[in-house]
Amino acid sequence: MMISCDLHIHTDLSPCADPDMTPGNIVGMAMLKGLQVIAITDHQSCSNCGPAMRISEKMAGPLVIPGLEVESQEEIHLICLFPDLDAAKSLEIMIRKDLPHYKNRSDIFGNQHYYNDLDEIIGEEDQLLLLACRLSCEEIAEKTLALGGACLPAHIDREANSMLTVFGMIPPDFPSRWLELSMLANERKVQAEHPEISNYRLLRSSDAHRLEDIAEPGWLLDVPDFSLNHTGRQKVIQALRP
C-alpha cells in the first residue's frame, strides 16, 4: 500500500521552529494536506511526540511516528524514527547524557516549549538543544537500530549538517538503505555528483519549521498491510530499516 508521509517535522520544542508549530497545529495541518503518516523529529528530544500522537488519535488524524533529529559529533544530522515512544525516549536519554550543557538563549535561538495533550505550553527546556552530541554517526545508528528504530542521514543535499558535505560520501558501512533529500533537492544533480547514492533508496521530507512547509501532498512509501495503529508504526519502521 502506498501511503503519503512527511517524516521530518519540528515542533516548537526545536528552538528554530515557529511558535505556532504546536503538536495540535501540526496534526491539523497534516490532515488538511492529506498526509497519512508524519514523524515528529525535534532536535535531540522526543518530548512533544507523545502529545502529538495522542492528539492525532483523538482527531482521527495521521499516524504519528515518534523520533528525534540527532546531531552527531561530526555535526551531521540523523533522523531517528521508532515504532513506539518508549524506544524514542530511551535514545533521548542516551543522547542527552552526551550533549554539552549550555543554557538556551531564547532571545537568540528561540524558545523550546513542552506541550500537553490540550496543546497548551506546560514548560520550557532550558538546555540548548541545537548542539552536537559526543556520539559518532555510527554510534547513534547502532543505538537506534538496537532499540528497534531506523536511522537515516538527513537532508544529504544541503551544505550544512549533511553526511555528503562532511564526509564527502556516504560511508559504505553506514547501516541504512535510505537517505533523505530536502523537498526542493535536485535529485539528478545529487546523483550525478555522488553516484554511490544510487545504491540507496531516497525519500523526501519537509524538515518543516513552519506550518506551511509541511509536505503537500507528501512522499509516498510502500508499506504492505498498512494500518493507522501501533502495528502500522511497526510496519513503517520495518520498511525503513536496513
Side-chain angles (χ1 to χ4, degrees):
M1 177 178 179
M2 302 301 291
I3 57 174
S4 57
C5 305
D6 188 348
L7 300 179
H8 188 170
I9 299 175
H10 293 268
T11 77
D12 188 28
L13 179 56
S14 295
C16 44
D18 281 358
D20 60 354
M21 291 294 279
T22 69
N25 284 346
I26 291 169
V27 168
M29 183 61 76
M31 293 175 69
L32 287 174
K33 296 196 172 187
L35 295 171
Q36 295 166 281
V37 177
I38 62 173
I40 301 299
T41 53
D42 284 310
H43 292 287
Q44 322 286 29
S45 179
C46 64
S47 295
N48 280 342
C49 292
M53 295 166 73
R54 292 185 289 270
I55 289 171
S56 194
E57 289 173 0
K58 292 178 182 178
M59 296 175 64
L63 186 69
V64 179
I65 304 293
L68 304 81
E69 181 174 22
V70 181
E71 184 171 344
S72 72
Q73 67 178 7
E74 302 97 342
E75 299 185 354
I76 293 170
H77 285 186
L78 301 170
I79 300 300
C80 303
L81 305 174
F82 296 92
D84 59 76
L85 188 55
D86 286 343
K89 288 179 178 178
S90 294
L91 182 69
E92 178 180 348
I93 291 170
M94 298 176 192
I95 297 300
R96 295 293 286 271
K97 288 180 180 178
D98 282 286
L99 189 66
H101 200 287
Y102 290 96
K103 186 175 177 62
N104 181 39
R105 287 282 305 275
S106 59
D107 57 322
I108 297 175
F109 301 107
N111 294 308
Q112 301 177 144
H113 287 141
Y114 294 114
Y115 286 82
N116 63 14
D117 292 9
L118 299 177
D119 217 30
E120 301 168 330
I121 295 174
I122 56 172
E124 184 166 0
E125 173 60 55
D126 291 330
Q127 183 177 5
L128 178 62
L129 299 176
L130 279 178
L131 293 170
C133 71
R134 301 183 186 91
L135 298 173
S136 68
C137 286
E138 182 179 355
E139 290 172 322
I140 293 166
E142 288 176 352
K143 293 178 184 297
T144 299
L145 292 173
L147 290 166
C151 184
L152 292 66
H155 41 68
I156 62 168
D157 53 292
R158 293 184 183 171
E159 294 184 0
N161 306 116
S162 158
M163 187 172 282
L164 285 182
T165 298
V166 175
F167 290 156
M169 62 179 293
I170 305 298
D173 56 348
F174 186 79
S176 178
R177 61 190 177 108
W178 291 91
L179 306 174
E180 183 198 60
L181 292 174
S182 302
M183 290 302 292
L184 300 178
N186 185 328
E187 184 174 330
R188 289 185 178 179
K189 181 175 183 292
V190 178
Q191 288 181 326
E193 295 174 350
H194 298 277
E196 74 274 12
I197 72 171
S198 63
N199 297 320
Y200 297 86
R201 297 184 180 184
L202 302 176
L203 64 85
R204 291 179 185 262
S205 301
S206 69
D207 190 10
H209 291 68
R210 301 180 301 171
L211 286 173
E212 58 265 34
D213 291 338
I214 293 174
E216 181 181 0
W219 170 77
L220 295 178
L221 175 67
D222 188 7
V223 180
D225 302 318
F226 174 74
S227 56
L228 288 169
N229 53 30
H230 177 65
T231 300
R233 288 192 187 92
Q234 292 177 321
K235 289 183 178 295
V236 170
I237 299 303
Q238 183 178 357
L240 296 170
R241 282 173 62 88

